[in-house]
Amino acid sequence: MFYETLARYYDRIFPLEAAKVAFLAEEFSRVKARSVLDVACGTGTYALALAGEGFAVWGTDLSPEMIRQAEQKAARQELPVRFAVGDMREPGMFGLAFDGLFCIGNSLAHLLAEDELRRALAAMRETLRPGGVAVFQIVNFDCILDRGETPLPVIERDKLRFIRIYRPMSAELLHFYSRLEVKKDDGEEEVYENTIALRPICQKDLERYLRDAGFSDLASYGDFKRSSYTFAAPAVVVSALA
C-alpha cells in the first residue's frame, strides 16, 4: 500500500509547520479546550506539538504504519498522547467527548461519496462538547477545478523528491497522482508511484456540509496564517464551533 510506504518518509516530506501549530493552539485556547482529537493524524506531528503546548491529545489514523510511528515519536518525546488505528468516519472510537478536534492535511477529500462525508462530519460534531471548536483544512479545489490538471510544487529533500499532480475528472472526482523518488546510499533509486481518487470539495460546499452537520460560527481562511480566503488561495481552512 502506497501510504504505508509513504509513512517511512512522511516526516521528511512534511516537517512541522509552526503556523499550523500556532493556529490550532489559538483556536483551542479561545474556547479553553483541554482535550483535543486529531482525526487522520498521520505520524502524529501536530498531535505531539499540541501536547507539548499543554493540551491533552488523542489521535487516530487509518494507516497502522502511521500510528506505529506516532507512538514511537510519543515515546521518544515522553508525551502522553494516545494513538489508535481508526477511520475518520468513526471518530468516536475512544468513547470520549472532546473540547477540540482537527482534521487537516486534505484528509476529508478521501471520502468520495457526499453521504459518507456528511456522516463523517456529523460524527465529528458528535464527539465535541457543546461550545467546542473544530478545525478543518483541504486544498483549494475551486482553483484546481478551474485550472484543470494542476502540478503542485515539487518537494525536494536530501536524497528525496516528491511529485504531486491533481487531475480533475469531473466536478465530483479528481485523481491525485504522486511519485516518490528516493536515492539510496548505494546510489540506486527507488521509485514509488500512486494514483488515488479524491472528492474535490469546494469551499462553499464544505461550509454547507459543516452547517448541516450542526457546526456554527464558521470562519474560513486561505491558509494557517489567517489570510483571507480567495479563489487563488492555496488552501481552505475552516474553524467552526460545535
Side-chain angles (χ1 to χ4, degrees):
M1 183 178 178
F2 180 77
Y3 280 98
E4 298 301 291
T5 300
L6 183 63
R8 302 204 305 267
Y9 307 99
Y10 196 83
D11 288 347
R12 288 172 59 190
I13 299 171
F14 302 111
L16 180 76
E17 295 181 38
K20 291 184 181 180
V21 179
F23 184 98
L24 293 167
E26 288 169 6
E27 289 301 305
F28 298 138
S29 294
R30 75 183 176 95
V31 298
K32 297 180 171 56
R34 293 178 57 84
S35 60
V36 175
L37 176 63
D38 182 355
V39 178
C41 65
T43 60
T45 297
Y46 292 97
L48 294 167
L50 288 169
E53 295 287 327
F55 297 96
V57 189
W58 286 252
T60 69
D61 197 277
L62 195 59
S63 166
E65 178 60 22
M66 294 280 194
I67 291 299
R68 185 186 71 80
Q69 292 195 39
E71 290 175 334
Q72 289 182 340
K73 288 161 64 175
R76 287 197 301 269
Q77 297 177 38
E78 298 183 342
L79 290 169
V81 180
R82 182 179 172 188
F83 293 103
V85 176
D87 193 312
M88 76 176 104
R89 292 167 291 192
E90 299 176 354
M93 61 177 295
F94 289 114
L96 301 172
F98 296 93
D99 304 318
L101 175 151
F102 63 107
C103 182
I104 61 176
N106 207 37
S107 299
L108 289 177
H110 290 75
L111 301 177
L112 298 181
E114 181 178 333
D115 61 342
E116 70 174 346
L117 174 58
R118 286 181 175 276
R119 287 198 302 270
L121 292 174
M124 292 180 202
R125 166 65 182 80
E126 290 173 2
T127 67
L128 287 170
R129 294 189 178 96
V133 66
V135 175
F136 302 93
Q137 177 259 321
I138 55 175
V139 302
N140 186 359
F141 287 114
D142 292 80
C143 186
I144 291 171
L145 289 173
D146 182 69
R147 288 180 180 173
E149 182 166 313
T150 304
L152 296 186
V154 176
I155 296 173
E156 296 191 77
R157 313 287 186 220
D158 181 40
K159 298 182 179 181
L160 183 152
R161 193 164 183 260
F162 192 47
I163 300 165
R164 300 162 294 165
I165 303 172
Y166 286 104
R167 293 173 172 146
M169 309 305 290
S170 71
E172 297 181 347
L173 179 66
L174 175 149
H175 286 169
F176 177 50
Y177 167 79
S178 54
R179 177 185 171 95
L180 177 62
E181 303 168 356
V182 182
K183 287 189 177 180
K184 313 303 286 187
D185 292 338
D186 60 7
E188 293 294 317
E189 183 178 75
E190 293 184 355
V191 176
Y192 308 94
E193 292 183 286
N194 184 65
T195 298
I196 188 169
L198 298 177
R199 181 181 184 86
I201 309 166
C202 293
Q203 184 252 350
K204 290 186 181 298
D205 289 333
L206 178 58
E207 290 191 349
R208 175 165 54 88
Y209 296 147
L210 289 170
R211 290 192 180 93
D212 290 349
F215 288 100
S216 62
D217 297 317
L218 274 60
S220 292
Y221 306 94
D223 55 33
F224 283 100
K225 296 179 181 179
R226 300 185 185 274
S227 301
S228 298
Y229 171 77
T230 67
F231 186 77
V236 178
V237 180
V238 181
S239 172
L241 295 181

